[in-house]
Amino acid sequence: MNVLLLGSGGREHALAWKLSASPLLTRLYASPGNPGIGRVAELVKLDISDHSTIAAFCQQNKIDLVVVGPEAPLVAGIADDLRAWGIRVFGPSKAAARLEGSKGFTKDLCAKFNIPTAAYGRFSDLASAKAYVEKMGAPIVIKADGLAAGKGVTVAMTVDEALAALDACFDGSFGAAGAEVVVEEFLTGEEASFFCLCDGATALPFGTAQDHKRVGDGDTGPNTGGMGAYSPAPVMTPQMTERTMREIIEPTMRGMANIGAPFAGILFAGLMITDQGPKLIEYNTRFGDPECQVLMMRLKDDLLVLLNAAVDGQLAHMSARWSDEAALTVVMAARGYPGTPEKGSVIRGLEQAEGEGVEIFHAGTTINGGALVANGGRVLNVTALGATVGEAQKRAYAALDRIDWPQGFCRRDIGWRAVEREKAGV
Ligand code: AMP
């Protein structure tokens, strides 16, 4: 099979790495890709927002499957457009991608199909949103309805903070994404990421992970796209997974089919494990980054076979096997991130850092004058397997410390919660 992978981050490098191991694969193309992806795929320059150019490339190069990494093209309808040209695509339709593209849509779906989630209100004018906040009090959560590159959520500990977040949304801080807001109840508990591979009817559990969103050690400082992750998430016991499937995922699959938007692709549920059980915080309609990196390290089966089954509606006959080992990834970011990262610093020593059970996925790198240089906020994902999260953590940091990149930084405590659990023997 010839496969075209769209995207350029660490998530896509992990997908490319796993796809390239498939005996079914003839040629793997990636657009735009990055230098790490370039080691396992042929990089092509295509404008991802121009769907007809992508379709023409697929026809010229006899592409049998397009795998879409990021959310923006899915929400823009790339899967529908390519399918209209007769091209097979792994990723949800525009109608199904509303699960990520509109937080209000997802909340209404939850209400309609009795899916546990935070109580909420949807507002398209400032005055009524403010009145709702005043009535409910703090803590409370304000969310821009649309895609806001991970920045549209404010967990407000005071009413004033919530009102300021509403002002920012309606002032246009998030563009069209903030023209409507969801105001919701503040949930407490432990967060976990739960993934399912879906074919429109069947949802196959596809791994669990936990990530670290804050930039600083001890989960402090500003939010980021994610500074590290590990898999599996200890809080997702078999019982919790079964409840999540029954109470959240399966009603979502039935609900989406029921409204004429069956979901096929990766369904990524952000969960809060509360005293009352799992509650949905949000859906994403693609793999998480950096969660994908740890999932791909643990997946024992052929990813291409599984993606084909999802595209062909054959998941009811499939299973996915996972390594018993834990995987952990540490993000190396460029100084300045999550503000304005410094670009252009030279990265050396990746060869001596890699080894058995260790993979370094590229996120924001490029080649400049023959040297590998930083070209974004999150730059490298140093990823390792280990018998426990603690062992995977040791290996990942040992590898990371062999990388020569003085302008990079990372958190030193990725996985701390799971490691503490392991030490306590629970
Ligand atoms: P998101 O950008 O939607 O992933 O949300 C960012 C983070 O905000 C989540 O990972 C949670 O930590 C937090 N969050 C979102 N909604 C809630 C909620 N209703 N209660 C508590 N925390 C929340």
Side-chain angles (χ1 to χ4, degrees), residues 344-411:
S345 51
V346 176
I347 303 163
R348 296 186 182 88
L350 294 193
E351 311 70 37
Q352 66 251 33
E354 268 171 338
E356 182 63 23
V358 175
E359 292 295 330
I360 298 174
F361 297 118
H362 292 225
T365 63
T366 192
I367 301 286
N368 194 350
L372 185 71
V373 301
N375 190 41
R378 294 185 296 165
V379 174
L380 296 170
N381 311 136
V382 184
T383 314
L385 287 167
T388 60
V389 175
E391 246 184 57
Q393 185 196 52
K394 269 201 208 100
R395 274 172 119 178
Y397 282 110
L400 185 145
D401 289 334
R402 287 197 286 272
I403 296 173
D404 175 13
W405 180 35
Q407 294 84 358
F409 74 95
C410 67
R411 278 181 61 164

Side-chain angles (χ1 to χ4, degrees), residues 103 118 141 143 153 155 184-187 191 272 281-282:
K103 296 196 183 328
V141 183
K143 298 183 172 182
V153 175
V155 179
E184 66 178 42
E185 172 199 4
F186 173 77
L187 298 174
E191 282 185 56
M272 188 71 86
I281 299 178
E282 62 164 3

Side-chain angles (χ1 to χ4, degrees), residues 1-7 10-31 36-37 39-42 63-69 88-90 197 206 266 287 292-293 295-297 299-311 359 361:
M1 289 182 71
N2 295 323
V3 177
L4 171 65
L5 171 67
L6 300 180
R11 165 182 51 210
E12 287 77 19
H13 188 183
L15 292 172
W17 172 76
K18 194 69 191 159
L19 287 170
S20 69
S22 172
L24 286 184
L25 187 74
T26 309
R27 289 180 92 157
L28 179 61
Y29 298 91
S31 182
I37 298 174
R39 283 171 25 189
V40 290
E42 204 169 308
I63 297 296
D64 301 296
L65 181 68
V66 177
V67 179
V68 186
R88 292 170 74 246
V89 185
F90 177 75
L197 182 64
F206 211 60
I266 287 290
F287 280 111
C292 184
Q293 290 81 318
L295 293 180
M296 290 307 111
M297 291 288 277
L299 179 63
K300 291 215 273 194
D301 288 309
D302 183 333
L303 179 65
L304 190 48
V305 168
L306 287 160
L307 299 189
N308 275 326
V311 171
E359 292 295 330
F361 297 118

